[in-house]
Every structure is written in structure tokens, then in C-alpha cells.
Amino acid sequence: MTEQPVRTRYAPSPTGDPHVGNIRTALFAWALARRTGGQFLLRIEDTDRTRYVPSSLEAIYESLRWLGLDWDEGPIVGGPYAPYIQSERLPYYHEVANRLLAEGKAYRCFCTVERLDALRAEQQRRKQPPGYDGLCRSIPPAEAEARAGEPHVIRFKMPREGQTVLRDAIRGEVVFENALQDDFVLLKSDGYPTYHLAAIADDIAMRITHVIRGEEWLSSAPKHIRLYEALGAPEPVWAHLPVILGTDRKKLSKRSGDTSVLEYREKGYLPEAMVNFLALLGWSLDDKTTIVDRETFVRNFSLERVGANPAVFDIERLDYLNGYYIRAMSPDRWAATVVEWCEAHLPSSVPRPLDRSVLEAAAPLLQERVTRLADIDDLVLFLFTERAPEYEPELLVERLAGDRDFALRVVDAALLALDALPPQEWTRERVEGAVRSLESALGTKLRKFVAVLYVAVMGRPQGIPLFDSMALLGRERTLLRLREARAKLERMHG
RNA sequence: GGCGCGUUCGUCUAGAGGCCUAGGACGCCGCCCUUUCAAGGCGGAGAUCGCGGGUUCGAAUCCCGCACGCGCUACCA
């Protein structure tokens, strides 16, 4: 509905790698900005020096880049409201706090941490709503100014009566009793602002029109609404996104599964799959659509179609989408993806650079059986080793009801038929012909005995098609592996 | 404890009073295809719409209560 260009922002705090729930918020904020032809900003909220993790800055940029969420203003790219890192904007927050102080909308509080702790403990013991009791609110301004050199914080004067109404784009009206709110801290004693001050002061300064954030902020919305009012700024459109839960229905965290966005990249998930997955976690296009590419998402996104109920992060849906996008790739792009992935992920014992022609030939075979890029590893490793990857002899007869003698006959027959193929005739077609000839030689259907050959060649009973595998492997390595399999079978009996 | 949000197949969801004997997708089961594994095709099971009251000719859809889940309750974000 919103056709006016909108300004949204993603404002993470650098306390670690961005989590999927967090990045979903970024995705929605980004989509709304793009959809309306507005701007999407990135702002770093590093006002808690004790939780600061330097490496997370790069992780934030990398996560956004990976998913294609480009920011119009923010770190690196700059913008008219720079700087976009809060620790570089301290003077501005002091200015805002002082203005509130001067207008009597805030006050200095000299209460010690000890008193606050004791107060909270007492309130809990008496089962009273916790919160600052407003002791320092009554200190005469003149006295407070005289004591300005002492350690203190600056608190906001919340109204003590009446209600504050939040009009949320996703949840409708939410009413809060002012009597239940307390005078929250604006400026900490270390001179840094709290989230409340910094976020709102910046949202105002940066002309943010739509504040899209997680549900965990819903409870503090009245504080923010009152701050907007005190600063004489028009309220933005608020939208509190539901939380994302783990399979255990608890808020997604390290305990209930992987949460770091970058970890999904390392496991071989495609950004387009992740975007599609995240887009449908809380938002829907209609009653049928489940494949939503980035463009479709942007073109159709609206806050009106975002649900208010928490969603479970179901990895199986992500897997499905990832497989879908892998199969949807053009053969060329897929081949390039395979080469790049293998160069970076095959064991270091495999010499580089890898043989591109082998990987390019295997690519189409991989495309229809890979869910995550990491699945490629086990599927192609056998092509880059002299012998078959290590395997137990029992594996050779596993699908033959343990019939060792039969397995031996299969291998012998295969050896005979394949050895008869001269090197220049070692093609997929001829290999297939040779192997299929075993049907009559052994008097059994191919499917009844191929498993032995799969294991002999690739060390596992399943993988990419056998004839292609043998063709790619070449005559010598194939025969070598069959002979080794034979030796294993002979030794087995015991 | 208080305040707030939420509650449709196992999961993501469609549904904004009659189109719902509740639709789609993932997953699951079966069949087909097939050199393994997949992929693909076809079909199936699966939600008395958290529970209880209302309002209405009629409620998944509106109202109230309850239950449960989650969030917040810091000089953290």
C-alpha cells in the first residue's frame, strides 16, 4: 500500500555473527525500501563497549553482501547523515540528552548500581513490578547541576499516568499503561547512550520513516514513542516482526540449531535459497506460491502481508529450496559453482588446480543429486584419488545378501569384459555396453549386482552413475580398483 | 510475579462471516521411472481451525473468559 519512498534501516549491534532471525529483519527492511524506491541504511549500534566483538563488523557486511542486501547509506558507502557507527556519534547523543535535560524532560540520577540492585531485589521479593523508583527525579535542578561532576546517568521522565498507544503495522493497536513504565536510562555513566536514546535519536536524525525490528522491542515501544514526542519528531511507522523459533519451539539460538548466517554459506546453501526461505518465514505472497526469487519478493513485499505469529526455522524446507535453486541453475553457472566449491573444499591432499574437465563433466550428474554444495565433496572425491576411498570389504556384499562368491563372480566378469576394451575405446557408451554384457554372462539383472561395482569404484554403494564414473576415472584406475576389490573379497572369507 | 504478543495439518502458510465437507508447499507413505543414490511424475494419509462461552440464519474468521507458548521486565541490544 505504501507507495511513498520509504527509509528503513538495519541496525545490528556488533556482538557476534548476524543470526538468521536478525538478518530476516534486514531482508524485510531492505525489501520495503527497494519496493518503494526508498533507501535502506545500515547503522552499527556499538554502544555497549563490554559486548563489542570487532570481527562481527565484517561478519555483518559479509552477511548482507552474501544475500544481496545492498545498503544505500552506512559504513563503507557513507551518506548524508554520516557517521553511521554510533560510537562515532557520541557528541550528538550528549547534545540530545542535554536538550532533554534543559527542557526538564530528563534528569540526572546519582543512584549507585548497588542501590539499584537492592531495589530490584526488594521489588522481586515483594512481587512488585521492577523498575526505577524515581528517587532522583525529585532532586532540585540546581542541586543536580551542582553535582554534575559526580558519576551519574541521565534518565528520561516517563509520564506517570495515562496510556501510550502503539500503532503497529503488523499487530494493530497495542495499549500500554504509563504507570507501569519506569524512568529509563538515556545516557550511561560511561558517557555512552543506551539503545533507547541512540536508536531513536538516530532514527530521527536519519529520517527513518519505517522502524522494522524484532518483537523483542515491542515492550519498550512506549519508551520510544514518548521519546519521539519529547524530541518533537513525528513518529515513524512501527513494525515488530515475530521471532523465529528453533525446532524445539524456543527462540532460535545456538542451542536449538545453527543460527549464524555465514555458517549456512559455509555449508553450501545458496543465497537465493536463503532469501526465499527467509522471505516466507513470516511473509506470504498468496495461497500457492512457494518459490519466490529476490525480484518477485521485492516487487510484492508489503508489511500488510507479514504475519504476527512466530515461525519455526525448518531446515528441511531450506534444504528443499536449496536443491530447487541448484537444479534451476544454468548448466554453465552450475559447473562454475562446482569448480569453485571443489577448489576450496576438497581435502588439501588432492593436488590443485583440479582437473576442470573432470568436474565439468561431472557437474550435470551432481546437479540433480545435491542438496547442499557440501554434498559435492563425497560425490567427487573418488575421481581425484588413485585408489578408491577407504571402505570395509563387507560393503562389497552388503546389497548382495552377503553372497561373497557371487560378488567375486561379478568382479571377475567385469574385469574380463572391461579389460577387453582397448584404451581408445574407453568411452561411457562402451563401458556401459561392457558392464551390461554381464547380465547375460551372469544371468542376472544389472540392478542385482551393480552395487558391488559402485563400491569397488567409489568406495560407496551410491553416488553418481557408474558408467560415467568409470569413463571419467579412466581405464587404468578402474581396472586397478576392480582388482583391489577382488583382493578384498578373497581375503574376506575368514 | 507484572506487562505485552501469539495460537489453522509434524513444519511454513492461505484464509479478513457463507466460495472451507479448510487450499498450497516441505516432510512422510505408496506407485511409476531407473545402473546405485537422487531428481522427476502420479497418488495418499495428515488440521473437528488451542479450550469454553457468546454475537449471528450462519464463525477458522467478530466479542469475552481460560489454557498454553513466547517476549520484555539492565547504566544489553
Side-chain angles (χ1 to χ4, degrees), chain A residues 160-190:
Chain A
R160 292 188 149 159
E161 300 170 345
Q163 304 173 319
T164 297
V165 178
L166 163 70
R167 278 173 239 288
D168 189 273
I170 295 171
R171 292 152 209 278
E173 286 196 357
V174 183
V175 180
F176 297 89
E177 290 296 331
N178 291 153
L180 266 17
Q181 302 291 325
D182 71 343
D183 292 345
F184 60 95
V185 173
L186 292 168
L187 209 58
K188 299 183 255 185
S189 56
D190 65 359

Side-chain angles (χ1 to χ4, degrees), chain A residues 257-303:
Chain A
D258 298 309
T259 56
S260 162
V261 178
L262 262 16
E263 253 171 59
Y264 286 91
R265 177 175 68 174
E266 282 156 25
K267 285 182 182 160
Y269 286 96
L270 265 26
E272 46 269 60
M274 187 56 94
V275 165
N276 192 148
F277 177 71
L278 257 18
L280 259 23
L281 226 46
W283 174 86
S284 62
L285 176 58
D286 54 34
D287 60 337
K288 297 270 196 297
T289 314
T290 53
I291 298 298
V292 183
D293 59 43
R294 197 190 319 270
E295 292 64 40
T296 308
F297 180 52
V298 168
R299 191 161 4 96
N300 295 285
F301 181 77
S302 73
L303 257 16

Side-chain angles (χ1 to χ4, degrees), chain A residues 176-230:
Chain A
F176 297 89
E177 290 296 331
N178 291 153
L180 266 17
Q181 302 291 325
D182 71 343
D183 292 345
F184 60 95
V185 173
L186 292 168
L187 209 58
K188 299 183 255 185
S189 56
D190 65 359
Y192 276 69
T194 58
Y195 168 87
H196 305 302
L197 205 216
I200 274 53
D202 281 347
D203 283 343
I204 292 171
M206 297 176 183
R207 306 282 185 273
I208 297 302
T209 62
H210 290 57
V211 171
I212 299 173
R213 53 174 14 177
E215 183 179 355
E216 65 269 24
W217 295 110
L218 196 59
S219 298
S220 42
K223 293 179 170 63
H224 306 326
I225 290 172
R226 254 48 252 218
L227 243 183
Y228 264 95
E229 180 186 60

Side-chain angles (χ1 to χ4, degrees), chain A residues 45-357:
Chain A
E45 310 222 325
D46 58 343
T47 55
D48 184 353
R49 293 176 303 164
T50 63
R51 298 204 307 157
Y52 181 61
V53 179
S55 67
S56 49
L57 230 44
E58 198 49 48
I60 288 167
Y61 304 150
E62 217 22 56
S63 297
L64 292 171
R65 286 191 200 113
W66 181 53
L67 294 176
L69 309 184
D70 54 320
W71 56 100
D72 305 295
E73 297 173 26
I76 302 174
V77 302
Y81 302 98
Y84 292 88
I85 293 180
Q86 292 187 326
S87 59
E88 297 171 12
R89 300 172 60 80
L90 263 25
Y92 172 61
Y93 307 126
H94 283 89
E95 182 190 315
V96 174
N98 285 330
R99 192 174 122 207
L100 255 15
L101 219 43
E103 293 172 358
K105 293 170 179 168
Y107 60 93
R108 297 183 198 277
C109 170
F110 302 92
C111 291
T112 62
V113 176
E114 290 70 33
R115 182 178 116 76
L116 262 20
D117 286 346
L119 177 67
R120 192 161 30 244
E122 176 64 8
Q123 285 165 333
Q124 271 168 14
R125 196 181 61 75
R126 296 168 62 178
K127 300 201 185 304
Q128 290 180 335
Y132 182 60
D133 60 0
L135 180 70
C136 295
R137 191 168 177 162
S138 57
I139 297 177
E143 183 190 333
E145 283 315 305
R147 295 175 61 188
E150 297 175 27
H152 67 280
V153 301
I154 293 178
R155 288 183 184 272
F156 183 74
K157 283 187 190 171
M158 279 296 281
R160 292 188 149 159
E161 300 170 345
Q163 304 173 319
T164 297
V165 178
L166 163 70
R167 278 173 239 288
D168 189 273
I170 295 171
R171 292 152 209 278
E173 286 196 357
V174 183
V175 180
F176 297 89
E177 290 296 331
N178 291 153
L180 266 17
Q181 302 291 325
D182 71 343
D183 292 345
F184 60 95
V185 173
L186 292 168
L187 209 58
K188 299 183 255 185
S189 56
D190 65 359
Y192 276 69
T194 58
Y195 168 87
H196 305 302
L197 205 216
I200 274 53
D202 281 347
D203 283 343
I204 292 171
M206 297 176 183
R207 306 282 185 273
I208 297 302
T209 62
H210 290 57
V211 171
I212 299 173
R213 53 174 14 177
E215 183 179 355
E216 65 269 24
W217 295 110
L218 196 59
S219 298
S220 42
K223 293 179 170 63
H224 306 326
I225 290 172
R226 254 48 252 218
L227 243 183
Y228 264 95
E229 180 186 60
L231 292 170
E235 263 185 68
V237 171
W238 303 97
H240 290 90
L241 265 30
V243 294
I244 294 181
L245 308 174
T247 319
D248 56 1
R249 291 223 140 255
K250 293 273 165 49
K251 187 179 179 183
L252 198 63
S253 68
K254 291 244 168 63
R255 284 183 190 287
S256 50
D258 298 309
T259 56
S260 162
V261 178
L262 262 16
E263 253 171 59
Y264 286 91
R265 177 175 68 174
E266 282 156 25
K267 285 182 182 160
Y269 286 96
L270 265 26
E272 46 269 60
M274 187 56 94
V275 165
N276 192 148
F277 177 71
L278 257 18
L280 259 23
L281 226 46
W283 174 86
S284 62
L285 176 58
D286 54 34
D287 60 337
K288 297 270 196 297
T289 314
T290 53
I291 298 298
V292 183
D293 59 43
R294 197 190 319 270
E295 292 64 40
T296 308
F297 180 52
V298 168
R299 191 161 4 96
N300 295 285
F301 181 77
S302 73
L303 257 16
E304 286 73 32
R305 288 200 65 84
V306 174
N309 46 321
V312 172
F313 188 97
D314 180 13
I315 194 79
E316 291 186 325
R317 289 177 61 74
L318 212 208
D319 282 342
Y320 163 76
L321 288 169
N322 208 57
Y324 175 87
Y325 281 100
I326 282 176
R327 270 164 252 122
M329 270 193 208
S330 73
D332 285 353
R333 187 156 93 83
W334 170 246
T337 302
V338 170
V339 171
E340 190 188 345
W341 177 271
C342 288
E343 281 290 351
H345 294 85
L346 287 193
S348 54
S349 55
V350 178
R352 307 298 153 89
L354 302 169
D355 187 339
R356 289 184 68 104
S357 63

